[in-house]
Amino acid sequence: MTINELKEYIYENNKIQDILEALGCHEIKYNAQREYWSAAQPDGDNPMGVVIRNNQYLSYRSFSRGVDYEDGKDLISLIETIKKLSFVESVKYLHKILELPF
């Protein structure tokens, strides 16, 4: 499974909330009108600390951490930051959470 296929799987199977929960994020909410997920960082209290677009790109921003959509960060980047993992380790982590073979 390529990275793009993995992201599409997450989007099409509505797995963003599950991943945010596994990361320890809290106050997770979905904004249907603007099509994004928001949550507080595991160590934060801002309910908009993480914002992930609900599309196949899974772009994310975090103003409190200095990350904007234009930075090209995505859900995998968020995992790298929160879990302090490399890109490959983050992809393996996603596979584990989603119970997919790597």
Side-chain angles (χ1 to χ4, degrees):
M1 179 178 287
T2 68
I3 298 303
N4 287 337
E5 290 170 339
L6 178 59
K7 288 181 183 182
E8 285 181 34
Y9 173 86
I10 292 166
Y11 168 66
E12 290 173 1
N13 291 281
N14 198 28
K15 296 293 186 180
I16 297 172
Q17 181 174 359
D18 298 336
I19 294 166
L20 291 172
E21 288 172 354
L23 288 171
C25 294
H26 51 101
E27 298 186 53
I28 302 167
K29 293 189 169 85
Y30 181 64
N31 183 318
Q33 183 179 17
R34 299 186 119 191
E35 296 186 22
Y36 68 78
W37 287 90
S38 63
Q41 296 267 359
D43 62 350
D45 59 2
N46 178 355
M48 295 290 289
V50 173
V51 177
I52 300 178
R53 287 186 172 157
N54 191 42
N55 60 32
Q56 68 270 23
Y57 304 110
L58 307 177
S59 303
Y60 104 95
R61 74 173 182 199
S62 173
F63 291 124
S64 62
R65 307 291 162 109
V67 178
D68 204 332
Y69 288 132
E70 287 76 30
D71 295 337
K73 303 286 184 173
D74 60 15
L75 185 61
I76 297 169
S77 306
L78 178 65
I79 294 168
E80 290 175 303
T81 301
I82 290 175
K83 292 296 194 181
K84 296 178 179 35
L85 298 173
S86 70
F87 177 79
V88 173
E89 291 170 326
S90 296
V91 173
K92 287 181 181 178
Y93 179 80
L94 268 176
H95 280 78
K96 182 179 177 183
I97 290 171
L98 300 171
E99 299 178 351
L100 296 171
F102 183 70

